[in-house]
Amino acid sequence: MADSTPVPVIAIDGPSASGKGTVALRVAAELGFHYLDSGALYRAAALAAMKAGANLENDLEVSRITLTLNINFIRDRIKIGNQDVTEAIREESVSNAASQVAAFPKVRAALLTRQRALRQPPGLVADGRDMGSVVFPDAVLKIFLTASPEERAARRHKQLMEKGMDANMTALLQDIQERDTRDSARSVAPLQKCADAVLLDTTGVPVEGVVTQVLALYKRARQAP
Ligand code: CDP
């Protein structure tokens, strides 16, 4: 008889630079689960639309490009067709465009099936803004990860400096606050904590501590009747 137990999903949502990606990757590695960086999909869609010269204010135009995109995650690299876009999608212009096109319902719908297709045994850790609310509402564990805007700006600053990129704290803080407002205020899949998500404020908590907390919560959720 086929096993009807759904593949477990851990949904980790939260604002920009809250550490979702790092925590999700580490939790996935600990459990031997797959990992979905949903933000990378929105970034890839935005980059492809920019390259195609599409009107970034037109949902239909961007969603048409999104639907035909051949995006592949190969270990820690992301490709569109044969082109490696791992670094290109992290550029500031793409971050802003991603946040802009992510507000479009057709673009979001175009990425939905792709995200759900990544739910493969033995399990998936998915990070984003609407993993628990829209994409995987039946996730066994939902986490809403956050930290103060100042701490998030400092983390992003450190990340950029480590990559040898120039960064200004004041500009980063302003960018984070603008993105928070845009992601929370949009009418489709706004960034918000679901009622059944566990809120983890990581201000002042090192990654290791957050990973331990998530693993303990997962263990408990699996044991729950
Ligand atoms: O690195 P950061 O957390 O700033 O961004 P990201 O997770 O890579 O996502 C890039 C953009 O895509 C965000 O600003 C969101 O607007 C959007 N996004 C979304 O709307 N829904 C998701 N599930 C993931 C990202």
Side-chain angles (χ1 to χ4, degrees):
M1 210 174 79
D3 182 4
S4 61
T5 318
V7 174
V9 176
I10 300 178
I12 304 186
D13 290 303
S16 186
S18 56
K20 303 180 302 282
T22 315
V23 169
L25 255 175
R26 294 281 298 277
V27 170
E30 287 289 333
L31 297 170
F33 280 13
H34 301 280
Y35 166 58
L36 163 63
D37 174 0
S38 63
L41 290 176
Y42 286 94
R43 288 170 179 274
L47 178 66
M50 285 161 82
K51 282 196 172 166
N55 176 0
L56 292 185
E57 293 181 3
N58 187 317
D59 185 0
L60 188 61
E61 222 176 287
V62 181
S63 70
R64 280 198 180 129
I65 293 170
T66 306
L67 274 174
T68 59
L69 272 189
N70 177 14
I71 307 172
N72 290 304
F73 291 95
I74 303 155
R75 284 184 291 277
D76 57 349
R77 310 299 297 176
I78 301 157
K79 285 188 169 184
I80 300 180
N82 288 327
Q83 206 181 359
D84 192 315
V85 295
T86 316
E87 277 80 33
I89 60 165
R90 302 287 155 198
E91 280 175 19
E92 210 45 37
S93 58
V94 182
S95 302
N96 288 324
S99 161
Q100 192 179 339
V101 304
F104 294 146
K106 289 190 176 65
V107 172
R108 301 200 74 84
L111 289 175
L112 197 58
T113 321
R114 259 171 223 262
Q115 296 177 78
R116 290 190 175 146
L118 293 166
R119 185 176 192 166
Q120 298 286 343
L124 177 72
V125 183
D127 97 57
R129 304 292 193 284
D130 62 343
M131 297 299 99
S133 57
V134 177
V135 184
F136 304 109
D138 65 337
V140 59
L141 175 64
K142 299 180 187 179
I143 304 282
F144 192 85
L145 212 62
T146 189
S148 70
E150 290 73 17
E151 171 131 352
R152 291 189 278 130
R155 286 177 189 169
R156 175 94 350 133
H157 187 256
K158 186 165 166 264
Q159 231 173 30
L160 291 172
M161 299 302 273
E162 280 167 3
K163 284 187 194 156
M165 289 156 91
D166 212 13
N168 171 298
M169 268 297 283
T170 317
L172 283 174
L173 182 58
Q174 194 184 342
D175 178 60
I176 278 183
Q177 285 167 330
E178 275 170 17
R179 217 124 54 92
D180 280 0
T181 309
R182 193 159 39 189
D183 289 349
S184 314
R186 69 181 179 217
S187 54
V188 264
L191 171 69
Q192 56 183 234
K193 182 191 156 309
C194 317
D196 55 350
V198 180
L199 176 72
L200 290 184
D201 186 334
T202 70
T203 311
V205 186
V207 170
E208 208 48 59
V210 185
V211 171
T212 307
Q213 265 179 295
V214 175
L215 289 170
L217 286 164
Y218 177 64
K219 203 170 159 198
R220 208 179 307 155
R222 291 294 280 175
Q223 282 162 356

